[in-house]
Amino acid sequence: MKTIANYLPLFISLLFFSCFESKENQYDKAEDIPVTREMIAELTSPPNVPAPIGRRSAKKLIVKMEILEKEGEITDGVRYVYWTFGGTVPGSFIRTRVGDEVEFHLQNHPDNKLPHNIDLHAVTGPGGGAESSFVAPGHEKVFSFKTLNPGLYVYHCATAPVGMHIANGMYGLILVEPEGGLPLVDKEYYIMQGDFYTKGDNGERGLQPFDMQKAVDEKADYVVFNGKVGALTGDNAITAKVGETVRLFVGNGGPGLVSSFHVIGEIFDKVHIEGGDKINENVQTTLIPAGGAAIVEFKVDVPGTFILVDHSIFRAFNKGALGMLKVEGEKNKKIYSGEIRDDIYLPEGPGIQSMPTTDEIVESDIPAKSFEEQMQFGKQTYIQTCFACHQSEGQGIPNAFPPLAKSDYLNADVNRAIDIVLHGKSGEITVNGEKYNSVMTKQMLSSEEIANVLTYVYNSWDNSGKVVSKEMVDSVKNKK
Ligand code: CU
C-alpha cells in the first residue's frame, strides 16, 4: 500500500523546481532582478554574434570596448579613415539579458586623435551613457547601467559633430535578450547598414576624406552593409544549409538614410519589428530606421545564393548595399523548379534594344597609366557590365551567351570585338564550335573603358594576351 511517504520525493522535487522556476519571475520590474557574480562579456566582430544567453541568470557584465581610428578600404582602391568601436564597422556586438548590470569600460586608444563617447539606446539614462563616457585619447571611462527592456538596440558615438562621428563608422548593436533567452536557431548573423560621404565620387581612388556638405544633403556616395562594399559578398558571404533557420540581427547606423531591408528570394517568417517585442510574420521587406534595428528570421528551404539588399535599389547595385547568403543542400523541386526550358521567342521588331548612342558618352575617365591599371580598371568594368551574361570566368552560359574564355571568335579579330562592344551584335555566331543566337546590346562605355575591359578579357582565361588601346577603339568608332 502506498502512503504519502512514497510521494514525498516527488513533492519535494516539484516544490524545488517551482521555487527555482519562479525565482526570477517573481520580480515585476527588471530593475529588481538581482545579479549573481560577474562575467566578462564576449564581444564579436561582424557578421558574428556571441553565443546565445539561454537560461543564464542576470549578471554583472563587464564590457570592455576599445575605440580605434584606423584606415581601411571602402571599395577597391578607395581608402577611408574609419572611427570604430572595437576596430570594425559596425562595432563589436554586445549580447546581454534583461536584468544584467552592465559595467561599461570605454577605452580611447592613445594613438587616436579625437575624444569620443557612447550612446547606447539600451540604456535608460541621460544621453544613453554619452554624458558619462566622454573620453579623451589614452583614457578609459567607466559607467554602469541595468538593462530594463529586452530588444535589439543601436549604440553610437554622440560626440559633436555627432553626424560626422556616426558617418565615420561609430555605431553597432547591443542585444538585450528576454528572460529565458530568444528561441534557439541554427545560424545567427550581425549586419548593419551605413551611408558614407566622400569628397570624391563613388569609386574615385585614393584616400577619401569625409564630405560634410554631402552628408548634410544626404547624398551618399556609398551605402553599404558592414562598413564596406563587398563585406558580405563572394568569400565573405554568410552561409546556411537547407533546412536551417537563420536569424539576422540587422541594424542601421545611418547617419542619414533609412533601409528597406530585403533578401531576394526569401520571405521573412518572422520580423521583430524595430527590434522590439512585436513580431510580424511573412514579410518581404522591413523598414529599418536610421538609429534602429530589426531581428529577421527565416528558414532556408532551397539551395542558392540569396542577395541581401536595401531595396532602394540603386543603393544596392550602384552604392554597395548588397550582401550574399549562400545556402547549400538538396534541391526541392516542389518549392522551386529551376529553369525548365529555354524556348526561342521571336517577336516582330528590332532585335537590338535601343540604348544611348556611344557618342553620348562623355569621356571623363582618368586614363590607365599602366598595363596593370588597365587590367584592374578593366576587371571592374567587366564585373559591372559583362559578368551577368559572360560569367565570372568568361565561361558564358550554354545555349545562351557565348564564352569569352579561350574563345576562337574573340581571339580571331580584335576590331570585330571592339565593334561588337561599341555597337552591339545580334544573329547567329559560332564560338568554339557551338552556335549562339542571342542579342548583345550596345554598351554604354567610354573608349577608355572599352580598351580596359577588352585588355582584361584578352589577358584572362588563356586568351591571346592582346592589349587594346583607346586609339584602337576610337579608330573603329570613327569608321562608322
Ligand atoms: Cu566619436
Side-chain angles (χ1 to χ4, degrees):
M1 200 179 115
K2 294 206 170 177
T3 67
I4 190 81
N6 292 82
Y7 294 100
L8 212 52
L10 180 68
F11 282 128
I12 289 168
S13 61
L14 275 175
L15 200 66
F16 176 79
F17 276 113
S18 55
C19 285
F20 185 77
E21 281 290 310
S22 64
K23 200 174 165 191
E24 287 180 342
N25 294 332
Q26 68 192 352
Y27 301 101
D28 296 337
K29 288 191 267 174
E31 66 182 89
D32 295 332
I33 299 173
V35 297
T36 56
R37 297 198 296 276
E38 64 176 52
M39 64 185 282
I40 307 280
E42 179 197 3
L43 302 182
T44 59
S45 302
N48 301 310
V49 296
I53 298 294
R55 302 196 56 80
R56 87 151 162 79
S57 59
K59 292 265 187 308
K60 180 176 172 185
L61 189 68
I62 317 281
V63 174
K64 291 188 175 173
M65 181 76 83
E66 185 185 40
I67 296 167
L68 288 168
E69 299 166 2
K70 57 189 262 193
E71 194 179 305
E73 217 180 29
I74 197 159
T75 190
D76 287 345
V78 183
R79 301 196 314 283
Y80 193 81
V81 176
Y82 293 98
W83 300 347
T84 74
F85 287 108
T88 56
V89 179
S92 309
F93 195 98
I94 311 167
R95 195 160 191 162
T96 70
R97 55 148 287 171
V98 160
D100 276 347
E101 187 186 306
V102 180
E103 185 181 279
F104 206 99
H105 296 240
L106 188 64
Q107 305 161 332
N108 195 345
H109 195 280
D111 293 346
N112 290 345
K113 294 189 174 62
L114 293 156
H116 300 281
N117 63 7
I118 193 165
D119 167 354
L120 300 118
H121 293 179
V123 168
T124 306
E131 289 189 7
S132 316
S133 61
F134 186 73
V135 58
H139 288 256
E140 173 182 295
K141 278 285 173 77
V142 181
F143 66 103
S144 83
F145 61 94
K146 186 119 178 136
T147 49
L148 303 182
N149 307 78
L152 182 62
Y153 298 93
V154 167
Y155 66 78
H156 62 87
C157 184
T159 301
V162 177
M164 180 181 182
H165 282 250
I166 296 175
N168 284 343
M170 297 198 82
Y171 47 78
L173 290 179
I174 173 168
L175 173 66
V176 182
E177 294 205 36
E179 180 74 55
L182 290 170
L184 292 179
V185 294
D186 301 298
K187 291 278 162 64
E188 292 184 324
Y189 292 108
Y190 171 25
I191 295 163
M192 210 160 171
Q193 183 168 320
D195 27 296
F196 286 84
Y197 305 83
T198 53
K199 277 274 181 281
D201 291 337
N202 180 296
E204 206 169 306
R205 291 173 176 76
L207 181 64
Q208 289 292 336
F210 168 73
D211 189 312
M212 190 65 163
Q213 192 55 51
K214 283 185 183 173
V216 170
D217 296 340
E218 299 183 2
K219 288 192 172 147
D221 297 286
Y222 301 90
V223 183
V224 297
F225 297 129
N226 291 1
K228 60 178 289 186
V229 178
L232 293 172
T233 63
D235 292 342
N236 302 323
I238 55 174
T239 60
K241 293 195 177 69
V242 166
E244 287 186 329
T245 298
V246 179
R247 175 182 288 145
L248 304 178
F249 297 103
V250 190
N252 184 7
L257 306 177
V258 300
S259 173
S260 302
F261 186 72
H262 175 78
V263 177
I264 299 172
E266 267 299 340
I267 295 140
F268 304 140
D269 299 324
K270 286 183 189 170
V271 175
H272 291 250
I273 302 165
E274 293 164 2
D277 284 348
K278 194 159 201 167
I279 292 177
N280 197 1
E281 295 182 344
N282 305 321
V283 176
Q284 59 192 306
T285 300
T286 193
L287 199 60
I288 305 180
I295 305 173
V296 307
E297 296 173 13
F298 50 94
K299 183 166 168 266
V300 287
D301 298 297
V302 296
T305 299
F306 297 82
I307 311 287
L308 288 51
V309 295
D310 178 340
H311 215 297
S312 287
I313 210 71
F314 280 104
R315 296 179 189 169
F317 293 106
N318 298 72
K319 294 185 173 183
L322 187 149
M324 290 177 183
L325 164 66
K326 288 190 179 164
V327 178
E328 287 184 347
E330 288 291 308
K331 287 183 182 165
N332 184 338
K333 299 228 167 184
K334 270 203 281 190
I335 293 176
Y336 185 69
S337 72
E339 182 177 306
I340 295 171
R341 258 196 333 270
D342 177 12
D343 297 332
I344 300 293
Y345 168 64
L346 286 176
E348 290 180 7
I352 296 181
Q353 297 165 37
S354 177
M355 295 282 278
T357 67
T358 41
D359 301 336
E360 293 167 19
I361 291 155
V362 187
E363 298 277 352
S364 64
D365 292 317
I366 309 159
K369 288 190 284 289
S370 62
F371 171 73
E372 286 69 32
E373 277 201 351
Q374 267 206 299
M375 289 294 283
Q376 190 194 338
F377 299 173
K379 185 176 184 181
Q380 282 175 13
T381 301
Y382 186 84
I383 288 166
Q384 283 160 10
T385 309
C386 322
F387 169 91
C389 297
H390 295 294
Q391 303 290 294
S392 63
E393 301 302 314
Q395 71 269 37
I397 295 175
N399 307 316
F401 302 108
L404 300 177
K406 287 188 216 171
S407 161
D408 56 0
Y409 187 88
L410 175 83
N411 289 307
D413 188 344
V414 66
N415 287 331
R416 178 172 64 186
I418 293 170
D419 186 76
I420 290 173
V421 180
L422 278 170
H423 304 111
K425 174 86 182 159
S426 66
E428 189 175 278
I429 62 168
T430 302
V431 180
N432 297 348
E434 299 286 330
K435 285 191 167 55
Y436 294 86
N437 197 341
S438 53
V439 173
M440 172 159 156
T441 58
K442 299 173 183 183
Q443 297 303 308
M444 265 173 66
L445 298 173
S446 66
S447 298
E448 197 77 53
E449 286 170 324
I450 292 173
N452 293 340
V453 76
L454 281 173
T455 298
Y456 170 73
V457 168
Y458 273 113
N459 288 275
S460 302
W461 320 306
D462 292 332
N463 283 330
S464 66
K466 190 169 276 302
V467 173
V468 180
S469 67
K470 176 176 181 293
E471 289 67 35
M472 290 162 72
V473 178
D474 283 339
S475 99
V476 175
K477 210 186 231 180
N478 296 332
K479 268 184 203 158
K480 289 272 158 170

